[in-house]
Amino acid sequence: MADPSAIFAAGRGNIFDEEPPASENPLRAKDFNPSAAAVIATTSTEIAPPALIASSPTTRAPLPEPNEQPLARGNLSEPAAPALTDNLARNLAFSLGAIAISTSLDRSGDTFALNHGQNSTVKTLTKVGDALPFIAIGAAALTALDTNDPRLSRTGFSALQAGGASALSSFGLKYAVARARPEANQGPSEFHNSNLSKGDSSFPSIHTATLWGIVTPFAKEYDMPWLYGVAALTNFSRVAGRKHWVSDTVAGSLIGYWAGEIAWQRNKPRPDSSAQIYLGERSITVAWPF
């Protein structure tokens, strides 16, 4: 390999003015290759002339050596926004529209309950649907405590969060809306009746809100949309038992769904997106995953 000092001399023009000794394996002017000289020059501990640096071919930054440790980390990306806030206006409009449309089914749903509520099959489905939220709470608690499966435990914790948030928000809405239950025989448009206990009002359904909040993280995490069909059984039972109007259960389902979506999104594990700075003997490397 040519002597680096000779290469630098070539950059200054000295090698063309005098003949080096033959023993030093000189690099003659007719053999001079600027690209090759630039590559050789970059291996020197000296600073190469600007002209030689400019002619150096583009190379990929070296990877950190095995014994190098990151000096610093920094978060380069923000966590994904929950689905509800991705387009808040659109989601709220959809939810309110679905509730408004479902009010057209209130009277027909109550008529079905009056005509078929005592049917043995309907009564059995009503009992099962009413019990499902409590069964789901127990199942979510057991999965949240499962230390052998972090994914399952995380999903169960999200389900408990969503179920609790759904129940509390639904209870608060009961006081604000104070809608009469179907069994009061006052019609679906009766609100703020002086004889009505606001804490026992109809809108929305706490049973459906709680159950939908619990099943949503599992449905999202394990791609099991059929769980919503199971949750819909509680919607049916609350209408068939004349405890709620159809629109009450639709509102409860939407509250639970969005609470479950947000809890699931917030508890999802995030990929390591931190920058890492490595200090080598003759290099500094900044790296981050994509």
Side-chain angles (χ1 to χ4, degrees):
M1 179 180 294
D3 182 29
S5 61
I7 301 300
F8 299 143
R12 295 191 296 270
N14 295 339
I15 195 169
F16 304 114
D17 298 332
E18 59 185 87
E19 187 75 9
S23 61
E24 296 183 4
N25 190 19
L27 180 65
R28 299 179 180 276
K30 64 180 180 178
D31 300 325
F32 180 70
N33 186 331
S35 298
V39 174
I40 297 172
T42 57
T43 64
S44 173
T45 57
E46 301 183 28
I47 300 177
L52 292 179
I53 294 176
S55 63
S56 176
T58 302
T59 58
R60 187 181 298 274
L63 295 175
E65 298 177 6
N67 60 345
E68 293 180 353
Q69 298 296 325
L71 298 179
R73 293 176 182 266
N75 191 8
L76 300 180
S77 63
E78 295 294 331
L84 179 62
T85 57
D86 285 346
N87 193 326
L88 185 59
R90 181 196 63 192
N91 293 327
L92 286 177
F94 168 79
S95 299
L96 294 175
I99 295 171
I101 293 173
S102 66
T103 58
S104 63
L105 302 175
D106 285 342
R107 292 191 181 276
S108 59
D110 192 45
T111 300
F112 172 86
L114 287 169
N115 296 334
H116 304 284
Q118 299 306 313
N119 180 279
S120 59
T121 301
V122 173
K123 290 179 70 174
T124 300
L125 292 176
T126 299
K127 290 179 180 180
V128 172
D130 288 348
L132 279 176
F134 303 100
I135 297 173
I137 292 173
L142 289 176
T143 57
L145 296 174
D146 186 358
T147 58
N148 296 322
D149 189 339
R151 181 186 182 190
L152 183 62
S153 178
R154 183 182 67 250
T155 306
F157 179 71
S158 299
L160 289 176
Q161 280 186 319
S166 300
L168 288 175
S169 58
S170 298
F171 190 75
L173 282 172
K174 284 180 176 292
Y175 274 88
V177 178
R179 188 185 198 185
R181 290 184 183 270
E183 60 188 2
N185 297 315
Q186 296 176 349
S189 301
E190 185 62 41
F191 298 91
H192 297 286
N193 187 289
S194 59
N195 296 325
L196 178 67
S197 171
K198 292 184 178 181
D200 192 41
S201 63
S202 185
F203 183 93
S205 168
I206 292 181
H207 281 69
T208 56
T210 302
L211 183 57
W212 280 71
I214 291 174
V215 303
T216 294
F218 289 100
K220 295 283 186 179
E221 182 68 27
Y222 295 99
D223 192 22
M224 297 189 297
W226 56 267
L227 286 174
Y228 296 124
V230 176
L233 184 58
T234 297
N235 294 54
F236 173 82
S237 72
R238 302 309 286 170
V239 173
R242 301 198 72 204
K243 298 297 183 182
H244 289 283
W245 305 99
V246 171
S247 55
D248 298 336
T249 66
V250 171
S253 299
L254 289 169
I255 291 171
Y257 174 83
W258 288 120
E261 174 75 20
I262 292 173
W264 175 68
Q265 288 281 1
R266 288 191 179 280
N267 292 320
K268 283 175 61 176
R270 304 295 177 192
D272 185 8
S273 57
S274 300
Q276 300 182 13
I277 303 176
Y278 296 87
L279 179 63
E281 294 181 359
R282 291 169 295 181
S283 65
I284 297 178
T285 304
V286 180
W288 57 85
F290 289 93

